[in-house]
C-alpha cells in the first residue's frame, strides 16, 4: 500500500540530518553513515490462523546506527506501515537516544497487520513468529526492541518468551516495556508524561517563569496525554483543556485530570465533562500559555499555525508540528520543545529497565523517577546550552547535539 506520510517522514528526517550535518561541515561519507541504515531486515511471516488456513504477513526490523550502543526502538503493528516509515522511525530513534544521552543507537520494527482483526491466539502466534524471525539479529547487547503503536507489555511477554526458548537462556534485558512480573520497570507506564513535565519545569526555570500559575491545553488523553496532564495538575499547572479523538473540554478555571478520566471511563469520552465543549481543532488555538499536542502527527500545520496563541509548545506526540508550522511559529518567537527531547522519558525508563535486567537488581518507583529526572534534565540542559551558544531553536540544537555525540563515537 502506498503510504505517503511514511515516505514523507523518511524524507524529512533525512533532510534534517543532512542540513544539520552540512552546517556542521561534516564530510559526505559521514553524512551517508548518518543517513543510511546499517541493516534492514525484511521478511514474510507465515502464521496459522484460527480457521486452520495459513496467512502471510510482511515485517521489518531496521537497525539504523549503532555507534553509541545496541539498537533500541519499538515494534509497531499497523495495517498501513511501510518500510520507509519503519526506517524513518529507526533513524529518529538514533537521534532521540543520542539526545537523551543513552548508550544506544536507533532501531524500529513493524508488521503490516490490523491487530483488531486478529483473535488473541492469532495475535500471540504472530508476535511469536516475529520474535523467532528476529531472534538471531537481536539481543541485550545487539538490539533491544520495545512496544510501539498497537503493541503492549503482553505482546512483549510473548516475544521475550519465544526469544528465550530459542536461545535456551534467560535474557530479560533483550526486550523492554515488559510486564513488571517479567522484569518490567516500575514507573514505565507514566514515564513519557513524567519526563515531559520534568523538561517543561527545567525550561520554565531557564525562562524565569517557574512559580507562576501557567495554563495548559493537552491534546490527546491516552498514555502520554493523561499522565502528563495528571502530573502537571499535581505540580501546580492549571490544565484548562484536554481532548481525545472525539473532541475536548475547556474550563478556564481548570480541570482535574483524574476526575476527567473517571468521567471518560464511564461515558467513553472527555467531552461533556463540566466546561465548554471544544473540537480538537479549537483546542489547539485556545488562549493558553502552554500547548501540549500528545496525540497525532501534523496536527499543527500551515492551516492553523497562525491561530496558535500559546507561547510554549511541548511536542509530546511524535511529529505534531509540520515543518511549515514549526518554521512559522519559531519565527514568531514561540518556544518549541522538540519531540526527540520532550517525549524521551519513555525510552529513558526503557534504558533503566534494561540496566535493571542486565544487573538483576530491581529499583523502587521513587528511585526510577529520580533517575529519570536527573537524566532528562541533563539532556535538556545540554540542548538549552547549545541553543543559547549557537543562537538556534531547540530542535536544531537537539539535532546538532545528537549528531555530535553519534559522530564522536564513529570510528
Ligand atoms: P494512546 O493510544 O495511549 O493515546 C492516544 C490519544 O490520542 C487517545 O486519547 C486518543 O483518543 C487521542 N486521539 C486519537 N486521535 C485523535 C485526534 N484526531 N485528535 C485528538 N486526539 C486524538 O497513545 P500514546 O501512547 O499516548 O501516544 C501518543 C503520542 O505520543 C504518539 O504520537 C506516540 O508516538 C507518542 N509517544 C508515545 C510514547 C509512549 O511511551 N507511549 C513515547 C514517545 C512518544
Amino acid at each position: 500500500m502506498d503510504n505517503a506520510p511514511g515516505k514523507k517522514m523518511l524524507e524529512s528526517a533525512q533532510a534534517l540530518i543532512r542540513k544539520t550535518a552540512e552546517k556542521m561541515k561534516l564530510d559526505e561519507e559521514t553524512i551517508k553513515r548518518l543517513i543510511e541504515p546499517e541493516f534492514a531486515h525484511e521478511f514474510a511471516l507465515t502464521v496459522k490462523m484460527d480457521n486452520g488456513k495459513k496467512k502471510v504477513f510482511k515485517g521489518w526490523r531496521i537497525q539504523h546506527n549503532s555507534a553509541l550502543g545496541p539498537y533500541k526502538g519499538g515494534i509497531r503493528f499497523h495495517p498501513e506501515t511501510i518500510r520507509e516509515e519503519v526506517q524513518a522511525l529507526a533513524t529518529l530513534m538514533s537521534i532521540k537516544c543520542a539526545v537523551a544521552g543513552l548508550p544506544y543507537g536507533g532501531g524500529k520494527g513493524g508488521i503490516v497487520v490490523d491487530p483488531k482483526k486478529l483473535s488473541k491466539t492469532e495475535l500471540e502466534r504472530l508476535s511469536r513468529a516475529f520474535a523467532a524471525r528476529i531472534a538471531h539479529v537481536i539481543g541485550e547487547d545487539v538490539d533491544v526492541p520495545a512496544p510501539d503503536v498497537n503493541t503492549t507489555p503482553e505482546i512483549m511477554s510473548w516475544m521475550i518468551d519465544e526469544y528465550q526458548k530459542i536461545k535456551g537462556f534467560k535474557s530479560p534485558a533483550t526486550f523492554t516495556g515488559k510486564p513488571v512480573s517479567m522484569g518490567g520497570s516500575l514507573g514505565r507506564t507514566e514515564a513519557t508524561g513524567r519526563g515531559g513535565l520534568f523538561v517543561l519545569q527545567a525550561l520554565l526555570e531557564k525562562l524565569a517563569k517557574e512559580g507562576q500559575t501557567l495554563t495548559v491545553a493537552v491534546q490527546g488523553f491516552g498514555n502520554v496525554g493523561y499522565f502528563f496532564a495528571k502530573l502537571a495538575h499535581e505540580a501546580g499547572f492549571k490544565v484548562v483543556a484536554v481532548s481525545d479523538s472525539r473532541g475536548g473540554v475547556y474550563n478556564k478555571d481548570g480541570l482535574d485530570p483524574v476526575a476527567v478520566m473517571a468521567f471518560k471511563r464511564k461515558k467513553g469520552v472527555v467531552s461533556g465533562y463540566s466546561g465548554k465543549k471544544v473540537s480538537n481543532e479549537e483546542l489547539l488555538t485556545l488562549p493558553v500559555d502552554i500547548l501540549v499536542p500528545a496525540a497525532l502527527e501534523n496536527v499543527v500545520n500551515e492551516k492553523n499555525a497562525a491561530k496558535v496563541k500559546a507561547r510554549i509548545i511541548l511536542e509530546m506526540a511524535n511529529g505534531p508540528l509540520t515543518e511549515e508550522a514549526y518554521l512559522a511559529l519559531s519565527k514568531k518567537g514561540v518556544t518549541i520543545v522538540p519531540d526527540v527531547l520532550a517525549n524521551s522519558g519513555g525510552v529513558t525508563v526503557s534504558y533503566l529497565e534494561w540496566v535493571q535486567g542486565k544487573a538483576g537488581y530491581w529499583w523502587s518507583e521513587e528511585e526510577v523517577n529520580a533517575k529519570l529526572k536527573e537524566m532528562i534534565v541533563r539532556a535538556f540542559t545540554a540542548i538549552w546550552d547549545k541553543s543559547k551558544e549557537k543562537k538556534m531553536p531547540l530542535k536544531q540544537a537537539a539535532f546538532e547535539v545528537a549528531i555530535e555525540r553519534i559522530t564522536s563515537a564513529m570510528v
Side-chain angles (χ1 to χ4, degrees):
M1 186 181 298
D2 188 32
N3 176 330
K7 287 185 181 160
K8 194 159 180 243
M9 196 195 285
L10 180 59
E11 277 165 26
S12 56
Q14 293 182 336
L16 199 49
I17 291 175
R18 175 167 285 285
K19 200 170 106 188
T20 311
E22 282 172 355
K23 272 206 185 121
M24 293 166 73
K25 305 208 182 324
L26 299 181
D27 64 78
E28 184 56 28
E29 295 313 303
T30 305
I31 297 176
K32 273 191 202 148
R33 287 176 73 186
L34 288 168
I35 286 179
E36 292 300 323
E38 291 171 0
F39 294 100
H41 307 281
E42 174 167 316
F43 26 73
L45 301 165
T46 306
V47 177
K48 196 168 180 186
M49 307 306 279
D50 290 347
N51 63 10
K53 292 199 176 130
K54 291 200 171 130
K55 197 168 165 152
V56 177
F57 295 88
K58 184 136 196 139
W60 298 270
R61 182 72 187 170
I62 299 194
Q63 298 168 324
H64 174 254
N65 187 291
S66 61
L68 288 170
Y71 309 103
K72 181 91 193 79
I75 297 166
R76 65 173 46 187
F77 286 2
H78 197 278
E80 277 157 33
T81 198
I82 55 169
R83 191 189 60 78
E84 286 87 344
E85 179 183 64
V86 178
Q87 187 181 332
L89 293 163
T91 307
L92 292 170
M93 279 307 290
S94 295
I95 298 291
K96 187 182 292 188
C97 291
V99 161
L102 304 176
Y104 290 138
K108 205 79 181 190
I111 302 182
V112 186
V113 59
D114 182 352
K116 289 190 200 89
K117 294 195 176 142
L118 299 186
S119 70
K120 192 159 176 185
T121 47
E122 289 169 341
L123 187 62
E124 179 171 349
R125 284 196 292 274
L126 177 66
S127 303
R128 287 182 180 276
F130 185 79
R133 193 53 63 86
I134 61 173
H136 64 291
V137 295
I138 62 167
E140 61 175 36
D141 295 319
V142 182
D143 182 355
V144 183
D148 190 66
V149 173
N150 291 331
T151 49
T152 58
E154 187 177 40
I155 291 176
M156 293 306 109
S157 74
W158 296 328
M159 288 193 179
I160 193 160
D161 184 56
E162 190 68 22
Y163 174 79
Q164 293 180 147
K165 272 188 198 150
I166 290 167
K167 290 288 174 179
F169 53 77
K170 295 284 179 193
S171 179
T174 297
F175 286 80
T176 63
K178 304 180 296 296
V180 172
S181 60
M182 286 191 80
S185 180
L186 295 171
R188 174 63 185 91
T189 312
E190 306 82 0
T192 307
R194 191 184 297 278
L197 177 64
F198 289 148
V199 170
L200 178 62
Q201 288 171 322
L203 172 73
L204 295 174
E205 207 180 307
K206 295 285 184 194
L207 298 174
K209 284 193 174 169
E210 81 271 34
Q212 299 178 17
T213 303
L214 299 172
T215 54
V216 188
V218 183
Q219 186 188 63
F221 209 53
N223 174 276
V224 175
Y226 170 64
F227 284 112
F228 175 84
K230 175 179 181 284
L231 296 166
H233 170 76
E234 286 167 10
F237 290 86
K238 200 194 247 189
V239 179
V240 293
V242 298
S243 70
D244 57 29
S245 59
R246 313 258 297 275
V249 54
Y250 171 52
N251 188 329
K252 64 178 172 36
D253 298 326
L255 298 161
D256 174 0
V258 174
V260 182
M261 183 52 96
F263 178 87
K264 183 176 162 72
R265 286 212 180 98
K266 241 191 254 158
K267 309 273 180 181
V269 287
V270 298
S271 165
Y273 186 79
S274 74
K276 188 173 169 256
K277 279 189 185 183
V278 285
S279 67
N280 266 299
E281 197 54 34
E282 285 164 337
L283 180 137
L284 298 169
T285 58
L286 287 172
V288 291
D289 298 307
I290 303 159
L291 175 64
V292 184
L296 303 173
E297 60 287 339
N298 299 337
V299 290
V300 183
N301 46 50
E302 61 276 27
K303 289 192 205 111
N304 56 15
K307 291 188 248 160
V308 170
K309 296 180 192 72
R311 301 300 297 163
I312 295 174
I313 300 178
L314 187 68
E315 288 192 322
M316 291 303 289
N318 282 320
L321 271 63
T322 63
E323 186 68 10
E324 293 87 350
Y326 167 76
L327 292 172
L329 288 161
S330 300
K331 213 168 153 193
K332 257 176 55 181
V334 177
T335 303
I336 301 163
V337 186
D339 51 6
V340 286
L341 172 65
N343 69 28
S344 66
V347 70
T348 300
V349 174
S350 275
Y351 158 75
L352 297 174
E353 178 177 339
W354 178 77
V355 173
Q356 291 171 82
K358 272 168 88 79
Y361 179 68
W362 308 103
W363 295 323
S364 70
E365 194 165 343
E366 290 70 33
E367 285 174 286
V368 171
N369 292 344
K371 287 179 206 302
L372 166 64
K373 183 171 186 178
E374 188 193 327
M375 292 179 72
I376 208 163
V377 171
R378 194 190 309 140
F380 165 78
T381 307
I383 286 153
W384 175 266
D385 291 349
K386 171 71 80 185
S387 86
K388 289 289 130 192
E389 177 201 328
K390 295 271 191 92
K391 298 191 176 32
M392 55 172 56
L394 291 169
K395 184 174 178 180
Q396 212 179 325
F399 271 69
E400 205 168 305
V401 166
I403 290 175
E404 263 172 25
R405 287 179 178 163
I406 296 169
T407 51
S408 68
M410 279 180 3
V411 280

